[in-house]
């Protein structure tokens, strides 16, 4: 999966898009250094955390795009999509939702796995960032309850 190097010279964007229903699926980037990028804290590209959500789309389709200029703190950053509408028919899987990860022009497409059931959060992947700023992407592609990223609302 994509690998990046060097703090400040990385171009990363994550694009979440979906269908007409559910109306509101939210993008989350939660990570080291108490970084929480989501509709309640859209972040900044010119100051800490050097990551930003472009828009909170609440009326279907998206996209919601998170841009990452650099990872200011070594550690793990998780990207998730949350069904804020809590509509399970069709839900995230049937919407259909998709996440497009672009790392320095290398694009990886993620689609939701089966087994959504009554879970509201699709944990898509993690960035694992070393002390020197080098990072790799580790797919997760599982379902979880919102409580795992809910602390982003704190």
């Amino acid at each position: 999966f994509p690998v990046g190097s060097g703090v400040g010279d990385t171009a990363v964007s994550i694009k979440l898009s979906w269908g007409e229903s559910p109306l509101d699926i939210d993008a989350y980037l939660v990570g080291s250094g108490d970084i929480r990028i989501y509709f309640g804290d859209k972040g900044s590209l010119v100051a800490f955390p050097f990551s930003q959500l472009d828009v909170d789309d609440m009326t279907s389709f998206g996209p919601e795009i998170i841009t990452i200029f650099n990872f200011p703190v070594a550690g793990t950053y998780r990207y998730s999509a949350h069904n804020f509408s809590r509509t399970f028919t069709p839900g995230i899987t049937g919407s259909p939702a998709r996440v497009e990860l672009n790392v320095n022009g290398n694009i990886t497409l993620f689609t939701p796995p089966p087994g959504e059931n009554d879970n509201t959060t699709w944990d898509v992947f993690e960035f694992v960032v070393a002390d020197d700023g080098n990072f790799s992407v580790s797919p997760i592609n599982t379902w979880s309850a919102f409580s795992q990223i809910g602390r982003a609302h704190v």
Side-chain angles (χ1 to χ4, degrees):
F1 279 88
V3 175
S5 63
V7 175
D9 64 355
T10 298
V12 176
S13 67
I14 311 163
K15 177 181 173 183
L16 168 64
S17 57
W18 63 95
E20 185 174 358
S21 182
L23 293 176
D24 191 2
I25 300 177
D26 290 321
Y28 283 79
L29 180 66
V30 178
S32 298
D34 201 31
I35 292 173
R36 288 165 180 36
I37 306 300
Y38 69 110
F39 67 88
D41 185 352
K42 292 184 180 178
S44 171
L45 292 177
V46 297
F48 186 87
F50 305 102
S51 301
Q52 184 173 338
L53 172 66
D54 67 339
V55 67
D56 177 26
D57 186 320
M58 300 178 285
T59 58
S60 302
F61 302 107
E64 289 194 10
I65 300 171
I66 293 180
T67 302
I68 302 168
F69 178 66
N70 71 41
F71 297 99
V73 179
T76 302
Y77 297 73
R78 177 173 287 194
Y79 178 84
S80 301
H82 174 68
N83 181 349
F84 193 79
S85 298
R86 293 173 185 81
T87 302
F88 298 105
T89 305
I92 292 176
T93 305
S95 183
R98 59 184 263 160
V99 170
E100 184 179 296
L101 172 63
N102 185 330
V103 177
N104 297 321
N106 297 310
I107 297 173
T108 304
L109 179 65
F110 295 88
T111 56
E116 179 175 8
N117 303 319
D118 62 352
N119 290 302
T120 57
T121 302
W122 171 28
D123 297 307
V124 186
F125 56 81
E126 290 180 335
F127 295 101
V128 179
V129 181
D131 289 336
D132 64 2
N134 289 324
F135 67 91
S136 61
V137 177
S138 298
I140 302 172
N141 218 29
T142 61
W143 294 100
S144 67
F146 185 61
S147 61
Q148 292 187 11
I149 61 171
R151 63 184 172 273
H153 284 285
V154 174

